[in-house]
Amino acid sequence: MKKICILGIILLNVSVFSQTKGLTDDGKEVVLFDNGTWKFVNESDAKSLETISTNDFLFKKSNDAGFLMRSKKLDMGLYFNPPEWKVSPEKVSPYVEYMFRANAEDQIIGFLITEKVQVPTLKNLRDILLMGVQKNADFFRLKESEYGTVNGLKVLYIRYIANTKGLDFEYAGNYYLNDLGYCGVVAFSPQNSFEKNSVKIHEFLNGISSAKKDERTEVTQYSAPPPPMRSKK
């Protein structure tokens, strides 16, 4: 589980992973391996990268997600369910305020990510995030990106597959912008177990919420999530 966590974080664009890269004759970026082989960096469908759909369904946090972890940087936070998720004391990146671990058999890791940097639009944020992931991955495929509403916030939802060191991971995240910066609630697991854990992962993501100081909420040092599934269009 610890190895999965470390490699998965590399692909989350929160740490640096250097590789030798090059370009084909037609300008496509590739990763070069020591054994002389190579692989395209981005094998996503170009149309998927250019298009962001809109999901009109109004997502809400789970009734079981009664505990709030507040960001120390932004008026944002994450509601979660402690019996399902545990807050990890590990500090994996200056951008990760809290890391969460689901039950060991699920092999799911979640994050509350915040950064005080001004980004004009959610589309700009998506392009920046995906560019970082592609640079760190041996293989990358964007599966889905869409605008949606979660707990009254306009968010950007991204789902993608990335590979490093021969291991495939699948990620999903909700991202929100305000005047000070952005907040992301992200979860990932080995790619072959993502669908099995999809409900639990998306319930976790739907815990993203405003957390203004004048709001009366509970704060705890535990973890977990459960709300509505994606794809209710």
Side-chain angles (χ1 to χ4, degrees), residues 209-221:
S209 178
S210 172
K212 297 184 185 300
K213 293 181 180 179
D214 59 350
E215 292 177 342
R216 299 181 62 185
T217 51
E218 295 181 76
V219 182
T220 189
Q221 282 287 333

Side-chain angles (χ1 to χ4, degrees), residues 19-74:
Q19 300 172 348
T20 302
K21 294 188 176 181
L23 294 174
T24 63
D25 292 339
D26 58 357
K28 293 182 180 179
E29 192 175 16
V30 297
V31 177
L32 307 176
F33 299 103
D34 293 338
N35 62 5
T37 62
W38 57 272
K39 181 183 292 185
F40 285 112
V41 171
N42 180 11
E43 295 186 12
S44 296
D45 178 12
K47 186 174 181 180
S48 297
L49 288 172
E50 294 172 0
T51 304
I52 304 178
S53 60
T54 298
N55 191 331
D56 294 326
F57 186 82
L58 302 180
F59 293 92
K60 298 188 298 182
K61 70 180 182 67
S62 166
N63 291 332
D64 296 328
F67 293 90
L68 174 67
M69 295 299 288
R70 291 180 183 272
S71 166
K72 297 174 183 177
K73 302 177 185 178
L74 306 174

Side-chain angles (χ1 to χ4, degrees), residues 104-117:
E105 63 272 16
D106 294 331
Q107 294 188 317
I108 311 171
I109 296 174
F111 300 94
L112 174 65
I113 300 171
T114 56
E115 188 174 4
K116 281 190 172 183
V117 58

